[in-house]
Amino acid sequence: MRTAATILAIIQERGKKGLPLERVYRLLFNRDLYLMAYGKIYRNKGAMTPGSTTETADAMSLEKIDALIEAVRYERYRWTPTRRVYIEKKNSTKKRPLSMPTWSDKLLQEVIRLILESYFEPSFSQFSHGFRPGRGCHTALRQIDENWHGVSWFIEGDIKACFDSLSHDILINALAEHIHDERFLRLMRGLLQAGYLEEWKYNATLSGVPQGGIVSPILSNIYLSKLDRYIEEILIPMYTKGTRRKKNRKYDNLLCQSYRLRKGGKKQEAMKARKAAQKMPSVELNDPGYRRLKYVRYADDWLLGLIGPKEEAEHIKQQVKTFLHDGLKLELSEEKTLITHARTETARFLSYHLRASQDDTRQTKKKRSVNGEIWLRIPQDILTKKCQKYKEHGKPKHRKELTNNTDYSIVAQYQSEFRGLAEYYQLANDLHRLNRLKWIMQQSLAKTLAVKLHLTVKKVHEKYSTTWMVNGTTYKGLQVTIPREGKKPLIAKWGGIPLKRKIHAILNNQPTPVWINRTELEKRLLADTCELCNSQDRIEVHHIRALKDLNQKGRQNKPLWVKVMAARKRKTLVLCWSCHRKIHAGQPVNKRQS
């Protein structure tokens, strides 16, 4: 039987060459693919969250994989309706539906995702960045920063309830264009039509992909790649005209006048003429013979940048709206799809503000270096909201909910919260504006520690203040050190995060796929031996949600299995059926000597 890495490499090669996939359904009989899928998703936070049944990653075994393969082989597998809950939307009073599949569905979905991603990833557009390995928010923003010079108008795209509105027929047809396997397509249609349970009442899914499903992101990218191709192959060529803009005659005349005056010895008049020239563009900004259209998409958020008049921007918006409606059965949100002037207004994309810069006085190598460049900025409302979390009546406050935590965890939490924001906005031209938030958070941190320790803020700084070097720069901050016998001390620091722009920074949750050897958990499961008693009877994997769950309150003497997991720093333990049942029953498990 071929390994998972070999299968996925062959599929990827066919995707690169544009060759269709056949007999895909037979790949779902390969145990190695399920082991790879298990090794990828068992760490997920939702692995121990039940769907519409009580099944979770706990008690995973090779027998479960074989039973799943057997059901798929004879087309007896039926997708279970997902359990739907609602979570709050960011910066909104509305709630977003989240679907939670059962564990078996998650595992099979991950296998399908591996296959689809290997095949379709090479064919996706260079302008698409969402839910793709090696790409993310930062790669999308960096593409704008590097390639959108001189844009006049932004078209901010918003699709109404995009993921809930995807047509099942269009999606299946998009898969059928490349995958010539009816059994696989039937399986995918069954997944889309599995339905969901809301307050234990069944509801059919007539459109859309389940938000929260493992395979949903790749399916949405396959669907929206049709929009990418339409813009890339039709709209962009339609609005690409000319090789360069016409020169501005007034600008050239003033430069010539400055040159003649300088030759004639009239240096002051020459300088005035040159300064007057620098207040106007060197080319015709509204040249009718020059057009460019830029495009970028992250998931269902997309942005177009036009070098041209507003009338054409309106026309482009209408064309996209028509294509979405007629070709993809999606609706463009009129109130959220905005057309903004790049030099006088700001567009919002991926929680950044975008605007074309204009500064005639700033020069590099005697050239106006920033005119027409797209500046990425931190939105003021986000800064205000973040600062408000640490303020009360306009002043930094202590956070009462943290005063029961240790000094170490309080400092670590403040540092983590600030680092996350600073790293996300590392592409911002005005990253220095986070200094205000940093100061407020530092005062809040000092007050929180002061309340906890019954000290003054000054005494807190005297107790924890320190300095350290980061990339050759000295930083001041707070540091809590916890010494440990025979081990390195635990250190929590506040500060030392440089607020300097990093244009090549990438914050990406989707790593580039590398099909390496088996994960440690896969090897342990394949060893088919209980890690407590060395038995080989019905081997299963015991899962816990987090390592902190091992430190249960009121537990004085830790059981053997807790000590083993804590020593290994692992959330899994491979056990025989008997040991696993004893753990869940709270009975002691004795380690058998080998």
Side-chain angles (χ1 to χ4, degrees), residues 213-364:
I214 290 176
V215 79
S216 298
I218 184 68
L219 292 178
S220 64
N221 265 339
I222 293 170
Y223 196 100
L224 292 176
S225 65
K226 291 182 174 292
L227 173 63
D228 298 337
R229 286 198 297 272
Y230 171 72
I231 293 175
E232 194 172 355
E233 297 173 6
I234 296 178
L235 288 186
I236 289 180
M238 187 184 301
Y239 291 94
T240 299
K241 189 189 301 182
T243 55
R244 58 180 302 172
R245 290 186 176 97
K246 290 180 181 178
K247 291 185 176 181
N248 186 347
R249 289 188 178 181
K250 292 181 180 179
Y251 175 83
D252 286 346
N253 290 340
L254 283 171
L255 286 185
C256 290
Q257 182 182 347
S258 173
Y259 176 78
R260 289 193 299 268
L261 290 169
R262 187 173 294 278
K263 281 286 188 180
K266 300 178 180 179
K267 293 184 178 180
Q268 290 186 352
E269 289 85 345
M271 185 63 71
K272 287 182 181 179
R274 186 170 185 82
K275 286 183 177 181
Q278 289 178 341
K279 293 181 180 179
M280 60 179 62
S282 61
V283 294
E284 292 288 348
L285 296 180
N286 298 320
D287 181 5
Y290 185 86
R291 293 287 181 272
R292 290 293 185 273
L293 183 63
K294 310 291 184 178
Y295 171 65
V296 68
R297 179 176 68 83
Y298 183 92
D300 60 334
D301 292 331
W302 52 270
L303 185 71
L304 288 165
L306 174 68
I307 299 177
K310 185 177 182 179
E311 293 75 17
E312 292 186 5
E314 295 279 3
H315 187 56
I316 291 169
K317 174 185 171 182
Q318 191 61 40
Q319 286 177 294
V320 174
K321 179 182 178 180
T322 302
F323 174 79
L324 287 172
H325 182 270
D326 297 344
L328 299 180
K329 296 183 180 178
L330 296 173
E331 294 296 326
L332 199 64
S333 174
E334 287 289 345
E335 60 273 14
K336 293 183 180 179
T337 303
L338 309 175
I339 296 177
T340 54
H341 190 252
R343 291 179 184 269
T344 59
E345 300 173 289
T346 57
R348 191 153 184 157
F349 185 65
L350 300 179
S351 296
Y352 271 75
H353 270 166
L354 281 63
R355 185 170 182 171
S357 61
Q358 180 70 35
D359 189 347
D360 294 325
T361 62
R362 185 171 174 179
Q363 297 185 11
T364 303

